[in-house]
């Protein structure tokens, strides 16, 4: 099987490395890829948002499977174009990708499916913002009702901060989504979905805030870990049975069946799991940790999903132990990041036995130097017998990497290792 991976981040780097380990995968290509991916796969130039370009490249490479990594191409219908060309593609249609592309659509699906989620209101006129804010609080959740790469969200106890963000979005012509605040620790659960067939992967936890102790603004994610020692098996099953399966069934009922990776972001509150958001693709940085733990052939799982045969494949097998991903970000991220700085010590082995360096926002200069070219620059994945060992391996590897102005959180998975995460109970 020849596989073409569309995208240029650490998520795609993780997908490429996992696909290379599948004995049935004979060739892996990435487009447009990045400097790190180029060490492990042939990279080709492509406009990832152009279905026509992606189809032409897939035909040129005689690809047996196209895997679309990022959300923007999916929302714009790139998977539809590939499917229409008769090439198996891992990724939902544009109609199904609205589960991420439109939060209003996602709320409608969840309400119809009877899935718990935050109470919400859409505000599309500046004059309605103040009255709407008065109906929420004392913690306000203000979101961009569209794709914002994880950075269009403000969660704050300060009404003036919430108002400022809402007004800024409206000024840009973006509708604002106000939500009630959900209690409890968050869980990211990735599920392979083929119509009504749902196959969960390992649950993970993302760290969205830029600073230690969950301080500072939201980012696209500063780190993640898996598995979750504080999440009981029955709670995981409840997420699959009470959240993901009903949503998948509702989408089939609406004539927009989901095919690909359905990512449920949930808050584990005292009343059970409640959905914070759905995404239509592998999440970053959770993917880097989850795929590090996968012991099954990834190509087989993705191809089965793409061809409607997921119910005929054995459930995924997982390695023992744990994985921790720590993101190294550029100076000033998540605001406008500085780019062009030289990175040293980031050589990738491709083995990922104890630690692996995955490239997110990197480029290679004409003189061969590796430089920063994005907000999140590298994702360092540590593996070990438990979270403590995995954390140590990730941070030990990170200590040898130099990037001027680079910053990272020092507490990824720390609360879990110290037993400080619990699911609230009634009373």
């Amino acid at each position: 099987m020849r596989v073409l991976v569309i995208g240029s981040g650490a998520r795609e780097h993780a997908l490429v490395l996992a696909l290379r380990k599948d004995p049935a995968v004979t060739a892996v290509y990435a487009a447009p890829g990045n400097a790190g991916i180029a060490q492990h796969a042939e990279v080709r130039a492509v406009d990832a948002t152009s279905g026509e370009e992606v189809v032409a490249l897939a035909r040129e490479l005689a690809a047996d499977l196209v895997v679309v990594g990022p959300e923007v191409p999916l929302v714009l219908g790139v998977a539809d174009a590939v499917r229409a060309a008769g090439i198996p593609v891992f990724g939902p249609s544009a109609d199904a990708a609205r589960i991420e592309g439109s939060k209003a659509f996602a709320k409608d699906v969840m309400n119809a499916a009877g899935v718990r989620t935050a109470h919400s209101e859409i505000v599309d006129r500046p004059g309605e913002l103040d009255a709407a804010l008065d109906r929420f609080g004392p913690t306000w959740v203000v979101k961009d009702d569209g794709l914002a790469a994880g950075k269009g969200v403000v969660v704050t106890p300060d009404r003036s901060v919430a108002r400022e963000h809402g007004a800024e979005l409206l000024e840009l012509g973006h509708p604002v989504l106000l939500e009630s605040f959900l209690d409890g620790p968050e869980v990211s659960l990735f599920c392979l979905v083929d119509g009504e067939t749902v196959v969960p992967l390992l649950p993970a936890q993302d760290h969205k805030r830029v600073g230690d102790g969950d301080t500072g603004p939201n980012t696209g994610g500063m780190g993640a870990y898996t598995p979750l020692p504080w999440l009981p098996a029955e709670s995981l099953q409840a997420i699959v049975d009470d959240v993901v399966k009903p949503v998948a069934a509702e989408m089939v009922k609406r004539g927009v069946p989901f095919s690909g990776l359905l990512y449920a972001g949930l808050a584990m509150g005292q009343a059970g799991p409640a959905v914070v958001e759905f995404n239509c693709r592998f999440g970053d940085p959770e993917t880097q940790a989850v795929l590090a733990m996968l012991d099954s052939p990834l190509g087989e799982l993705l191809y089965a999903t793409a061809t409607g045969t997921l119910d005929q494949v054995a459930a995924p097998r997982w390695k023992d132990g744990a994985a921790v991903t720590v993101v190294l970000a550029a100076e000033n991220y998540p605001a406008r990041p500085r780019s062009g700085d030289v990175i040293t010590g980031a050589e990738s082995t491709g083995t990922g036995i104890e630690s692996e360096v995955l490239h997110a926002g990197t480029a290679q200069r004409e003189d061969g130097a590796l430089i920063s070219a994005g907000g999140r620059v590298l994702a360092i994945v540590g593996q070990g017998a438990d979270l403590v060992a995995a954390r140590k391996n990730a941070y030990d590897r990170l200590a040898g990497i130099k990037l001027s102005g680079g910053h990272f959180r020092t507490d990824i998975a720390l609360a879990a290792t110290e037993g400080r995460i619990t699911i609230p109970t009634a009373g």
Side-chain angles (χ1 to χ4, degrees), residues 359-386:
H359 291 230
T362 65
Q364 198 154 20
R365 217 164 52 186
E366 284 184 14
D367 64 0
L370 184 68
I371 59 171
S372 60
R376 292 185 295 176
V377 179
L378 298 170
I380 294 83
V381 184
Q383 291 186 64
D386 54 25

Side-chain angles (χ1 to χ4, degrees), residues 107 110-111 116-120 178-182 274-276:
K107 291 287 184 187
M110 285 186 276
N111 288 336
R116 287 188 66 242
T117 185
H119 165 67
S120 65
L178 298 179
E179 287 185 342
S180 57
F181 179 70
L182 296 171
V275 175
V276 176

